[in-house]
Amino acid sequence: MTERVAGVVTAVFGPLVRVQVGEQPVVVPFRRKLRWQAETEDRRLVVGDHVVLDGKPPALVIAEVSTRRTKLTRRSPGEKRPRVIAANVDQAVVVMAAASPEPNPRLLDRLLVACHHAGIEPVICFNKVDQGTSAIDAWIGDYQDAGYEILMASARTARGVGCLTRRVTGRTTLFCGPSGVGKSALLNAIHPGYRLREGSISEATGKGRHTTTTAQLLALPGSGFVVDTPGLREFGLWDLETSQLQGCFPEVAKAAEGCSFSDCGHASEEGCAVRSAVEAGKLSVRRYTSFLKLRQELGESESG
Ligand code: GDP
Ligand code: ZN
């Protein structure tokens, strides 16, 4: 008798795929005539794909792939079409260091926009708070005001690790952020069994060394998965249209409901509620500027 069991793809090695079935990882091939949802364009199995296995253990084979709820895509130089690199990611923990490597709020804004654009709920995590928070104190409030959940953590002292663990359990979470901020260290703190290699920051340049190179889903004890990514190239803003940007700045989108014109550009238009909010000190000047700069950048790449 054949069985059908559901699982989640956690690694792809060419013709073989590792699938988590309950608490158990199995390495299996996939059918040539794999059943895909009709609308799937990129028909390559990726980590996070929900699949149905057919057969009798140990001769299991992937027979079916479910619709992808979310897709992380990447366009590499030289490739015409974007590639899906992970499916069904629920949330992202956007990690920045509190002190070193120097936190960059513009970069944080870009990552948050990328999350919103991909339909993935972001949580901001400032790691290494053991080194002090003076570099972020001036602007962290902008993100609280915008409604983001913020976790203060230290992989070194274990501060915030319990909170982070609760936040990731039972879900599929992408850890993103620049190299050297302590993503691997945080994952090891959440689950020591991962034993991920932690890179050391070069003190001279402040630049971290890339320590992870491929997307993998790591099963969490109990339930849930995390995916650790090599730096920023993993997902970008290349397919974001200028008109979609406002929806990726939650506080700008909210203020914009009060603008006189529905197509308001929030620059010099009359009756612009976004500008009024900025002038009244209700919306961060820094976030507003970041929004305008990013929109200009997107506009330039659209016309160029
Ligand atoms: P990743 O590139 O984001 O994965 O960063 P890693 O996890 O490799 O960490 C980079 C460096 O920062 C390593 O030398 C870690 O030991 C160090 N590190 C990680 N977390 C903390 C922390 O909470 N406090 C301090 N002081 N150092 C940390
Ligand atoms: Zn406006």
Side-chain angles (χ1 to χ4, degrees), residues 210 273 282:
H210 274 193
K282 287 183 191 144

Side-chain angles (χ1 to χ4, degrees), residues 2-302:
T2 63
E3 274 182 53
R4 286 168 69 79
V5 289
V8 177
V9 174
T10 58
V12 179
F13 321 103
L16 291 180
V17 176
R18 193 180 63 209
V19 178
Q20 187 80 9
V21 180
E23 299 262 300
Q24 202 59 43
V26 293
V27 175
V28 294
F30 50 87
R31 282 223 175 103
R32 237 180 224 239
K33 289 202 169 158
L34 197 52
R35 270 192 51 203
W36 289 86
Q37 303 295 334
E39 71 272 28
T40 309
E41 276 174 40
D42 191 333
R43 298 193 162 200
R44 260 179 300 217
L45 282 168
V46 296
V47 297
D49 266 327
H50 289 223
V51 294
V52 176
L53 303 173
D54 230 349
K56 206 175 161 183
L60 289 165
V61 59
I62 300 177
E64 229 178 280
V65 190
S66 307
T67 310
R68 293 169 175 164
R69 249 180 311 108
T70 63
K71 283 180 278 192
L72 281 187
T73 55
R74 172 172 67 187
R75 192 171 60 172
S76 309
E79 271 181 47
K80 275 207 194 93
R81 285 204 303 161
R83 242 174 203 271
V84 177
I85 51 168
N88 304 316
V89 177
D90 303 307
Q91 63 179 357
V93 176
V94 182
V95 187
M96 287 279 149
S100 168
E102 197 187 335
N104 176 347
R106 288 270 301 144
L107 178 59
L108 178 55
D109 290 340
R110 296 180 79 94
L111 286 169
L112 293 172
V113 167
C115 291
H116 291 295
H117 182 48
I120 296 167
E121 190 192 347
V123 177
I124 301 170
C125 175
F126 289 104
N127 185 37
K128 308 199 196 185
V129 293
D130 56 286
Q131 296 182 329
T133 59
S134 56
I136 58 173
D137 289 340
W139 44 266
I140 191 170
D142 292 353
Y143 297 93
Q144 271 151 347
D145 293 347
Y148 288 103
E149 184 175 340
I150 300 172
L151 292 171
M152 303 299 266
S154 166
R156 186 151 294 173
T157 67
R159 180 175 165 194
V161 170
C163 227
L164 199 52
T165 304
R166 281 192 295 280
R167 198 73 178 67
V168 299
T169 301
R171 309 181 72 181
T172 298
T173 308
L174 169 81
F175 276 69
C176 59
S179 273
V181 296
K183 296 181 296 296
S184 315
L186 284 172
L187 291 173
N188 285 335
I190 290 170
H191 181 41
Y194 287 153
R195 282 192 224 101
L196 298 172
R197 204 154 57 87
E198 292 166 33
S200 54
I201 298 180
S202 146
E203 296 294 340
T205 62
K207 273 190 185 160
R209 177 157 61 81
H210 274 193
T211 49
T212 39
T213 52
T214 50
Q216 265 205 64
L217 241 49
L218 309 168
L220 282 160
S223 70
F225 299 94
V226 294
V227 43
D228 183 19
T229 65
L232 299 174
R233 285 168 306 142
E234 285 290 349
F235 75 132
L237 308 177
W238 53 269
D239 66 340
L240 179 65
E241 284 168 29
T242 321
S243 59
Q244 298 174 305
L245 185 64
Q246 158 179 327
C248 299
F249 276 81
E251 74 277 48
V252 174
K254 190 154 187 295
E257 288 169 10
C259 293
S260 300
F261 304 101
S262 62
D263 62 346
C264 182
H266 320 308
S268 51
E269 290 86 349
E270 216 160 293
C272 175
V274 174
R275 273 202 78 93
S276 307
V278 174
E279 278 153 21
K282 287 183 191 144
L283 204 157
S284 143
V285 180
R286 204 196 49 73
R287 284 273 291 170
Y288 171 65
T289 311
S290 187
F291 163 74
L292 291 180
K293 277 191 186 161
L294 208 45
R295 194 175 56 186
Q296 190 183 357
E297 238 178 76
L298 291 174
E300 280 161 9
S301 66
E302 261 171 29

